[in-house]
Each structure stands twice: as structure tokens, then as C-alpha cells.
mmCIF file of all heavy atoms in Angstrom:
data_model
loop_
_atom_site.group_PDB
_atom_site.id
_atom_site.type_symbol
_atom_site.label_atom_id
_atom_site.label_comp_id
_atom_site.label_asym_id
_atom_site.label_seq_id
_atom_site.Cartn_x
_atom_site.Cartn_y
_atom_site.Cartn_z
ATOM 1 N N ALA W 392 133.289 61.312 107.188
ATOM 2 C CA ALA W 392 132.797 62.611 106.724
ATOM 3 C C ALA W 392 131.994 62.473 105.436
ATOM 4 O O ALA W 392 130.970 63.138 105.251
ATOM 5 C CB ALA W 392 133.963 63.574 106.524
ATOM 6 N N ALA W 393 132.450 61.599 104.543
ATOM 7 C CA ALA W 393 131.744 61.382 103.283
ATOM 8 C C ALA W 393 130.364 60.791 103.521
ATOM 9 O O ALA W 393 129.377 61.210 102.917
ATOM 10 C CB ALA W 393 132.562 60.465 102.377
ATOM 11 N N ARG W 394 130.286 59.805 104.406
ATOM 12 C CA ARG W 394 129.000 59.181 104.722
ATOM 13 C C ARG W 394 128.017 60.224 105.277
ATOM 14 O O ARG W 394 126.843 60.252 104.938
ATOM 15 C CB ARG W 394 129.214 58.037 105.719
ATOM 16 C CG ARG W 394 127.925 57.239 106.018
ATOM 17 C CD ARG W 394 127.650 56.166 104.991
ATOM 18 N NE ARG W 394 127.345 56.602 103.672
ATOM 19 C CZ ARG W 394 126.129 57.035 103.225
ATOM 20 N NH1 ARG W 394 125.100 57.081 104.065
ATOM 21 N NH2 ARG W 394 125.955 57.378 101.965
ATOM 22 N N GLU W 395 128.505 61.093 106.138
ATOM 23 C CA GLU W 395 127.656 62.124 106.719
ATOM 24 C C GLU W 395 127.217 63.132 105.656
ATOM 25 O O GLU W 395 126.068 63.591 105.650
ATOM 26 C CB GLU W 395 128.390 62.823 107.867
ATOM 27 C CG GLU W 395 128.590 61.921 109.086
ATOM 28 C CD GLU W 395 129.487 62.541 110.135
ATOM 29 O OE1 GLU W 395 130.024 63.651 109.872
ATOM 30 O OE2 GLU W 395 129.678 61.932 111.204
ATOM 31 N N ALA W 396 128.130 63.466 104.742
ATOM 32 C CA ALA W 396 127.799 64.413 103.677
ATOM 33 C C ALA W 396 126.694 63.867 102.784
ATOM 34 O O ALA W 396 125.743 64.571 102.434
ATOM 35 C CB ALA W 396 129.041 64.740 102.854
ATOM 36 N N ASN W 397 126.804 62.601 102.408
ATOM 37 C CA ASN W 397 125.786 62.003 101.547
ATOM 38 C C ASN W 397 124.451 61.838 102.273
ATOM 39 O O ASN W 397 123.385 62.025 101.681
ATOM 40 C CB ASN W 397 126.265 60.654 101.016
ATOM 41 C CG ASN W 397 127.325 60.802 99.942
ATOM 42 O OD1 ASN W 397 127.410 61.832 99.270
ATOM 43 N ND2 ASN W 397 128.158 59.775 99.776
ATOM 44 N N ALA W 398 124.514 61.494 103.542
ATOM 45 C CA ALA W 398 123.288 61.337 104.322
ATOM 46 C C ALA W 398 122.530 62.652 104.468
ATOM 47 O O ALA W 398 121.315 62.656 104.694
ATOM 48 C CB ALA W 398 123.604 60.760 105.695
ATOM 49 N N GLY W 399 123.228 63.777 104.307
ATOM 50 C CA GLY W 399 122.601 65.085 104.448
ATOM 51 C C GLY W 399 121.968 65.630 103.183
ATOM 52 O O GLY W 399 121.305 66.682 103.221
ATOM 53 N N MET W 400 122.113 64.948 102.050
ATOM 54 C CA MET W 400 121.604 65.487 100.785
ATOM 55 C C MET W 400 120.076 65.558 100.692
ATOM 56 O O MET W 400 119.546 66.510 100.111
ATOM 57 C CB MET W 400 122.170 64.693 99.609
ATOM 58 C CG MET W 400 123.653 64.951 99.367
ATOM 59 S SD MET W 400 124.051 66.703 99.099
ATOM 60 C CE MET W 400 123.245 66.999 97.511
ATOM 61 N N PRO W 401 119.311 64.604 101.233
ATOM 62 C CA PRO W 401 117.857 64.785 101.191
ATOM 63 C C PRO W 401 117.400 66.066 101.875
ATOM 64 O O PRO W 401 116.522 66.779 101.362
ATOM 65 C CB PRO W 401 117.337 63.537 101.916
ATOM 66 C CG PRO W 401 118.398 62.510 101.679
ATOM 67 C CD PRO W 401 119.685 63.267 101.739
ATOM 68 N N GLU W 402 117.995 66.392 103.028
ATOM 69 C CA GLU W 402 117.638 67.639 103.706
ATOM 70 C C GLU W 402 118.023 68.852 102.871
ATOM 71 O O GLU W 402 117.326 69.873 102.883
ATOM 72 C CB GLU W 402 118.309 67.712 105.078
ATOM 73 C CG GLU W 402 117.688 66.778 106.113
ATOM 74 C CD GLU W 402 118.140 67.076 107.515
ATOM 75 O OE1 GLU W 402 118.837 68.074 107.715
ATOM 76 O OE2 GLU W 402 117.795 66.304 108.429
ATOM 77 N N HIS W 403 119.120 68.737 102.125
ATOM 78 C CA HIS W 403 119.516 69.837 101.250
ATOM 79 C C HIS W 403 118.469 70.062 100.163
ATOM 80 O O HIS W 403 118.099 71.207 99.868
ATOM 81 C CB HIS W 403 120.875 69.548 100.616
ATOM 82 C CG HIS W 403 121.312 70.591 99.629
ATOM 83 N ND1 HIS W 403 121.586 71.887 99.992
ATOM 84 C CD2 HIS W 403 121.491 70.525 98.277
ATOM 85 C CE1 HIS W 403 121.928 72.587 98.930
ATOM 86 N NE2 HIS W 403 121.879 71.780 97.873
ATOM 87 N N ALA W 404 117.981 68.994 99.571
ATOM 88 C CA ALA W 404 116.946 69.114 98.546
ATOM 89 C C ALA W 404 115.686 69.757 99.119
ATOM 90 O O ALA W 404 115.057 70.610 98.486
ATOM 91 C CB ALA W 404 116.620 67.740 97.958
ATOM 92 N N VAL W 405 115.324 69.366 100.329
ATOM 93 C CA VAL W 405 114.151 69.943 100.986
ATOM 94 C C VAL W 405 114.371 71.429 101.277
ATOM 95 O O VAL W 405 113.458 72.240 101.133
ATOM 96 C CB VAL W 405 113.822 69.159 102.275
ATOM 97 C CG1 VAL W 405 112.737 69.883 103.089
ATOM 98 C CG2 VAL W 405 113.366 67.750 101.923
ATOM 99 N N SER W 406 115.600 71.786 101.645
ATOM 100 C CA SER W 406 115.889 73.195 101.929
ATOM 101 C C SER W 406 115.750 74.050 100.677
ATOM 102 O O SER W 406 115.325 75.213 100.752
ATOM 103 C CB SER W 406 117.295 73.338 102.519
ATOM 104 O OG SER W 406 118.307 73.141 101.540
ATOM 105 N N ILE W 407 116.103 73.492 99.515
ATOM 106 C CA ILE W 407 115.928 74.220 98.257
ATOM 107 C C ILE W 407 114.447 74.492 98.014
ATOM 108 O O ILE W 407 114.049 75.610 97.672
ATOM 109 C CB ILE W 407 116.529 73.428 97.077
ATOM 110 C CG1 ILE W 407 118.054 73.332 97.210
ATOM 111 C CG2 ILE W 407 116.148 74.081 95.749
ATOM 112 C CD1 ILE W 407 118.708 72.452 96.156
ATOM 113 N N LEU W 408 113.625 73.463 98.191
ATOM 114 C CA LEU W 408 112.195 73.629 97.995
ATOM 115 C C LEU W 408 111.613 74.622 98.993
ATOM 116 O O LEU W 408 110.769 75.461 98.636
ATOM 117 C CB LEU W 408 111.487 72.282 98.126
ATOM 118 C CG LEU W 408 109.988 72.286 97.808
ATOM 119 C CD1 LEU W 408 109.746 72.653 96.343
ATOM 120 C CD2 LEU W 408 109.370 70.915 98.110
ATOM 121 N N ASN W 409 112.065 74.557 100.222
ATOM 122 C CA ASN W 409 111.591 75.482 101.254
ATOM 123 C C ASN W 409 111.900 76.922 100.883
ATOM 124 O O ASN W 409 111.061 77.825 101.053
ATOM 125 C CB ASN W 409 112.229 75.127 102.601
ATOM 126 C CG ASN W 409 111.692 75.988 103.734
ATOM 127 O OD1 ASN W 409 110.576 75.808 104.181
ATOM 128 N ND2 ASN W 409 112.516 76.914 104.202
ATOM 129 N N THR W 410 113.091 77.160 100.356
ATOM 130 C CA THR W 410 113.482 78.504 99.934
ATOM 131 C C THR W 410 112.590 79.000 98.802
ATOM 132 O O THR W 410 112.144 80.161 98.798
ATOM 133 C CB THR W 410 114.957 78.522 99.488
ATOM 134 O OG1 THR W 410 115.788 78.149 100.585
ATOM 135 C CG2 THR W 410 115.361 79.907 98.999
ATOM 136 N N GLU W 411 112.322 78.130 97.846
ATOM 137 C CA GLU W 411 111.522 78.519 96.686
ATOM 138 C C GLU W 411 110.061 78.790 97.053
ATOM 139 O O GLU W 411 109.432 79.692 96.496
ATOM 140 C CB GLU W 411 111.594 77.427 95.619
ATOM 141 C CG GLU W 411 112.940 77.296 94.948
ATOM 142 C CD GLU W 411 113.285 78.477 94.060
ATOM 143 O OE1 GLU W 411 112.361 79.036 93.424
ATOM 144 O OE2 GLU W 411 114.466 78.844 93.994
ATOM 145 N N LEU W 412 109.522 78.016 97.984
ATOM 146 C CA LEU W 412 108.120 78.178 98.359
ATOM 147 C C LEU W 412 107.915 79.144 99.517
ATOM 148 O O LEU W 412 106.784 79.488 99.852
ATOM 149 C CB LEU W 412 107.513 76.815 98.718
ATOM 150 C CG LEU W 412 107.462 75.763 97.605
ATOM 151 C CD1 LEU W 412 106.705 74.531 98.074
ATOM 152 C CD2 LEU W 412 106.849 76.305 96.339
ATOM 153 N N GLY W 413 109.020 79.570 100.114
ATOM 154 C CA GLY W 413 108.937 80.488 101.243
ATOM 155 C C GLY W 413 108.744 79.808 102.573
ATOM 156 O O GLY W 413 109.379 80.148 103.548
ATOM 157 N N ASN W 414 107.933 78.823 102.601
ATOM 158 C CA ASN W 414 107.653 78.060 103.817
ATOM 159 C C ASN W 414 106.929 76.784 103.412
ATOM 160 O O ASN W 414 106.041 76.807 102.567
ATOM 161 C CB ASN W 414 106.784 78.888 104.777
ATOM 162 C CG ASN W 414 106.711 78.290 106.159
ATOM 163 O OD1 ASN W 414 106.719 77.095 106.320
ATOM 164 N ND2 ASN W 414 106.659 79.143 107.166
ATOM 165 N N LEU W 415 107.315 75.664 103.993
ATOM 166 C CA LEU W 415 106.690 74.402 103.637
ATOM 167 C C LEU W 415 105.503 74.044 104.522
ATOM 168 O O LEU W 415 104.764 73.097 104.215
ATOM 169 C CB LEU W 415 107.716 73.255 103.705
ATOM 170 C CG LEU W 415 108.788 73.264 102.614
ATOM 171 C CD1 LEU W 415 109.808 72.153 102.851
ATOM 172 C CD2 LEU W 415 108.159 73.099 101.239
ATOM 173 N N ALA W 416 105.296 74.789 105.590
ATOM 174 C CA ALA W 416 104.213 74.482 106.514
ATOM 175 C C ALA W 416 102.860 74.497 105.799
ATOM 176 O O ALA W 416 102.480 75.496 105.172
ATOM 177 C CB ALA W 416 104.212 75.465 107.679
ATOM 178 N N GLY W 417 102.165 73.362 105.828
ATOM 179 C CA GLY W 417 100.856 73.254 105.205
ATOM 180 C C GLY W 417 100.872 73.044 103.705
ATOM 181 O O GLY W 417 99.824 72.854 103.088
ATOM 182 N N LYS W 418 102.052 73.092 103.093
ATOM 183 C CA LYS W 418 102.153 72.910 101.648
ATOM 184 C C LYS W 418 102.032 71.433 101.276
ATOM 185 O O LYS W 418 102.441 70.539 102.024
ATOM 186 C CB LYS W 418 103.486 73.450 101.124
ATOM 187 C CG LYS W 418 103.691 74.947 101.364
ATOM 188 C CD LYS W 418 102.747 75.782 100.512
ATOM 189 C CE LYS W 418 103.196 77.240 100.416
ATOM 190 N NZ LYS W 418 103.423 77.902 101.687
ATOM 191 N N LYS W 419 101.430 71.185 100.096
ATOM 192 C CA LYS W 419 101.335 69.828 99.576
ATOM 193 C C LYS W 419 102.543 69.564 98.680
ATOM 194 O O LYS W 419 102.768 70.272 97.696
ATOM 195 C CB LYS W 419 100.034 69.646 98.792
ATOM 196 C CG LYS W 419 98.788 69.781 99.640
ATOM 197 C CD LYS W 419 97.524 69.802 98.803
ATOM 198 C CE LYS W 419 97.299 68.484 98.084
ATOM 199 N NZ LYS W 419 96.017 68.489 97.309
ATOM 200 N N VAL W 420 103.320 68.542 99.038
ATOM 201 C CA VAL W 420 104.556 68.237 98.314
ATOM 202 C C VAL W 420 104.538 66.780 97.867
ATOM 203 O O VAL W 420 104.222 65.879 98.650
ATOM 204 C CB VAL W 420 105.807 68.496 99.182
ATOM 205 C CG1 VAL W 420 107.076 68.128 98.405
ATOM 206 C CG2 VAL W 420 105.856 69.951 99.626
ATOM 207 N N ALA W 421 104.888 66.559 96.608
ATOM 208 C CA ALA W 421 104.988 65.211 96.063
ATOM 209 C C ALA W 421 106.452 64.807 95.935
ATOM 210 O O ALA W 421 107.275 65.589 95.452
ATOM 211 C CB ALA W 421 104.319 65.132 94.693
ATOM 212 N N VAL W 422 106.772 63.594 96.363
ATOM 213 C CA VAL W 422 108.104 63.009 96.174
ATOM 214 C C VAL W 422 107.977 61.937 95.104
ATOM 215 O O VAL W 422 107.181 61.010 95.231
ATOM 216 C CB VAL W 422 108.662 62.411 97.473
ATOM 217 C CG1 VAL W 422 110.034 61.796 97.212
ATOM 218 C CG2 VAL W 422 108.758 63.477 98.554
ATOM 219 N N LEU W 423 108.745 62.081 94.042
ATOM 220 C CA LEU W 423 108.687 61.146 92.928
ATOM 221 C C LEU W 423 109.807 60.106 93.061
ATOM 222 O O LEU W 423 110.985 60.433 92.988
ATOM 223 C CB LEU W 423 108.832 61.890 91.600
ATOM 224 C CG LEU W 423 107.858 63.040 91.344
ATOM 225 C CD1 LEU W 423 108.098 63.626 89.953
ATOM 226 C CD2 LEU W 423 106.410 62.593 91.482
ATOM 227 N N GLY W 424 109.408 58.868 93.284
ATOM 228 C CA GLY W 424 110.383 57.788 93.343
ATOM 229 C C GLY W 424 110.570 57.196 94.722
ATOM 230 O O GLY W 424 111.074 57.864 95.631
ATOM 231 N N ILE W 425 110.177 55.938 94.868
ATOM 232 C CA ILE W 425 110.468 55.156 96.062
ATOM 233 C C ILE W 425 111.780 54.409 95.894
ATOM 234 O O ILE W 425 112.561 54.292 96.834
ATOM 235 C CB ILE W 425 109.325 54.170 96.360
ATOM 236 C CG1 ILE W 425 108.075 54.935 96.809
ATOM 237 C CG2 ILE W 425 109.722 53.156 97.422
ATOM 238 C CD1 ILE W 425 106.842 54.075 96.969
ATOM 239 N N SER W 426 112.042 53.906 94.715
ATOM 240 C CA SER W 426 113.250 53.141 94.432
ATOM 241 C C SER W 426 114.502 53.960 94.712
ATOM 242 O O SER W 426 114.524 55.175 94.523
ATOM 243 C CB SER W 426 113.261 52.692 92.973
ATOM 244 O OG SER W 426 112.136 51.880 92.681
ATOM 245 N N TYR W 427 115.560 53.273 95.116
ATOM 246 C CA TYR W 427 116.807 53.980 95.399
ATOM 247 C C TYR W 427 117.525 54.408 94.126
ATOM 248 O O TYR W 427 118.353 55.317 94.151
ATOM 249 C CB TYR W 427 117.722 53.149 96.292
ATOM 250 C CG TYR W 427 118.492 52.048 95.588
ATOM 251 C CD1 TYR W 427 119.744 52.291 95.058
ATOM 252 C CD2 TYR W 427 117.973 50.762 95.481
ATOM 253 C CE1 TYR W 427 120.460 51.283 94.414
ATOM 254 C CE2 TYR W 427 118.673 49.757 94.847
ATOM 255 C CZ TYR W 427 119.912 50.022 94.313
ATOM 256 O OH TYR W 427 120.613 49.019 93.682
ATOM 257 N N ARG W 428 117.203 53.747 92.987
ATOM 258 C CA ARG W 428 117.722 54.191 91.691
ATOM 259 C C ARG W 428 116.695 53.868 90.614
ATOM 260 O O ARG W 428 115.821 53.001 90.799
ATOM 261 C CB ARG W 428 119.074 53.555 91.353
ATOM 262 C CG ARG W 428 119.079 52.031 91.207
ATOM 263 C CD ARG W 428 120.500 51.537 90.921
ATOM 264 N NE ARG W 428 120.601 50.086 90.916
ATOM 265 C CZ ARG W 428 120.514 49.306 89.829
ATOM 266 N NH1 ARG W 428 120.330 49.873 88.642
ATOM 267 N NH2 ARG W 428 120.609 48.005 89.909
ATOM 268 N N GLY W 429 116.815 54.570 89.495
ATOM 269 C CA GLY W 429 115.849 54.417 88.431
ATOM 270 C C GLY W 429 115.825 53.022 87.838
ATOM 271 O O GLY W 429 116.856 52.374 87.669
ATOM 272 N N GLY W 430 114.624 52.567 87.500
ATOM 273 C CA GLY W 430 114.466 51.298 86.801
ATOM 274 C C GLY W 430 114.556 50.058 87.650
ATOM 275 O O GLY W 430 114.510 48.943 87.131
ATOM 276 N N VAL W 431 114.696 50.217 88.961
ATOM 277 C CA VAL W 431 114.823 49.070 89.862
ATOM 278 C C VAL W 431 113.796 49.194 90.975
ATOM 279 O O VAL W 431 113.719 50.222 91.645
ATOM 280 C CB VAL W 431 116.236 48.989 90.465
ATOM 281 C CG1 VAL W 431 116.309 47.899 91.524
ATOM 282 C CG2 VAL W 431 117.267 48.736 89.373
#
């Protein structure tokens, strides 16, 4: 259950942005950070 909960967090972050923008269709979105943690 924990593994599934953590795996779902990126979608949660996207859902927050979707709520704020009303709809993400056609919107330009930047994702900051390829690394899995800062400084690495």
C-alpha cells in the first residue's frame, strides 16, 4: 500500500496544477528537475 501511495504522488501534483489552471489541455507546463533528488 505504501509503494502504491508514493507512486501516486506525481499524479497528485498534476491534479493540483489542473485545478489551479482549470484545464491542462493545450497549456504549456514546465517541470523543474530531472534528478530524483537535489544536487545529484
Side-chain angles (χ1 to χ4, degrees):
R394 185 84 294 279
E395 291 172 356
N397 286 336
M400 289 303 292
E402 287 193 6
H403 176 65
V405 171
S406 73
I407 294 174
L408 186 64
N409 184 74
T410 299
E411 290 291 325
L412 297 186
N414 193 326
L415 290 175
K418 299 291 197 306
K419 296 171 65 177
V420 178
V422 179
L423 306 183
I425 291 173
S426 300
Y427 79 90
R428 63 182 174 94
V431 173

